[in-house]
Amino acid sequence: MVSNRRPIVTYALLSLNIAIFLLMTLLGGSQEISLLIAFGAKVNSLILAGQWWRLLTPMFLHIGLEHLVLNMVTLYFIGTQLETILGHSRFLLIYFISGFMGNLASFAFNPEALSAGASTALFGLFGVFLMMGESFGENPYIRMLAKQFLILIVLNVIFGFYGNVDLPGHLGGLFGGFLAGYCTGVPAVGKVPVLKRILSFAMLLFLCVMLLAVGFKN
């Protein structure tokens, strides 16, 4: 089920996030609002003005060292495991789709917040484990992983109500990764029915349109 290929995409993402954080630190600090905006944090007014890249760039920015370390440790342990299951291209595609969907959900439902962090994409990786649990629950290893990540997701959502967390962004990334996992499939584990892949792709497009509409309305 798991290949011997090295998780080079995970290593590349780790390196990029750390490099950007160090650059921001040298330029004045990753918690400096003006610097976060300059580097591409999610700011609704700027997205509405045409800066659409802010639906992607926030996943490479982190506000403070603790934020970076928490997300990069999570990316390392989950990414190295999941990339060997999905393969490089599927893993990278799901990562970007999840981050995009998370930032889009934040754009729609958290319009006042300046948002940054890889957690939108990371929650999408959590969603892939749930997707595999639903599709390949007969596999005891996959079933165990899905249960563990379901508990982790529930705890994160609960704590998200009490902390300075972009909960819509996390949930948007989660659903994005869940649906993207069906779209790409997981050949190393098993076959996803074609109809389920088509319906998941249609749902993903529908959510994109709906979130954009809500974001513009807000």
Side-chain angles (χ1 to χ4, degrees):
M1 180 180 69
V2 178
S3 73
N4 293 320
R5 56 191 156 197
R6 296 180 63 193
I8 56 174
V9 173
T10 299
Y11 296 153
L13 290 170
L14 286 165
S15 300
L16 181 58
N17 277 277
I18 293 170
I20 291 174
F21 179 83
L22 292 175
L23 178 58
M24 292 181 69
T25 300
L26 290 173
L27 293 175
S30 64
Q31 300 185 63
E32 179 64 41
I33 299 299
S34 60
L35 200 56
L36 283 164
I37 294 173
F39 270 73
K42 191 227 80 177
V43 180
N44 273 35
S45 60
L46 296 177
I47 294 173
L48 291 169
Q51 297 183 16
W52 295 100
W53 59 86
R54 292 181 185 273
L55 294 173
L56 287 173
T57 50
M59 73 178 83
F60 300 106
L61 308 178
H62 291 86
I63 306 172
L65 181 60
E66 182 181 352
H67 191 203
L68 174 76
V69 171
L70 178 62
N71 279 347
M72 292 304 98
V73 169
T74 304
L75 174 58
Y76 175 78
F77 284 107
I78 295 178
T80 52
Q81 182 178 24
L82 193 55
E83 186 179 347
T84 56
I85 297 173
L86 291 170
H88 306 314
S89 57
R90 285 183 176 86
F91 176 79
L92 184 61
L93 181 60
I94 290 174
Y95 190 89
F96 271 92
I97 289 174
S98 302
F100 173 77
M101 291 297 294
N103 289 316
L104 195 55
S106 178
F107 171 70
F109 297 113
N110 199 5
E112 302 302 322
L114 181 149
S115 302
S119 52
T120 50
L122 295 176
F123 264 77
L125 302 185
F126 297 167
V128 177
F129 282 105
L130 296 186
M131 167 264 162
M132 289 194 296
E134 189 279 326
S135 296
F136 313 113
E138 70 282 354
N139 183 315
Y141 175 68
I142 294 296
R143 187 168 62 249
M144 177 195 69
L145 287 176
K147 287 181 179 179
Q148 290 177 347
F149 278 97
L150 178 59
I151 294 171
L152 181 62
I153 290 165
V154 170
L155 290 174
N156 271 275
V157 170
I158 292 172
F159 288 126
F161 285 106
Y162 301 99
N164 186 24
V165 173
D166 189 349
L167 189 57
H170 288 180
L171 294 177
L174 177 69
F175 282 105
F178 183 77
L179 293 171
Y182 286 115
C183 295
T184 64
V186 191
V189 180
K191 186 175 181 181
V192 177
V194 174
L195 179 60
K196 186 177 285 188
R197 297 177 71 173
I198 293 173
L199 290 174
S200 297
F201 182 71
M203 178 61 69
L204 201 57
L205 289 180
F206 171 78
L207 286 176
C208 283
V209 173
M210 183 195 74
L211 291 172
L212 279 172
V214 173
F216 272 105
K217 184 178 180 180
N218 289 339

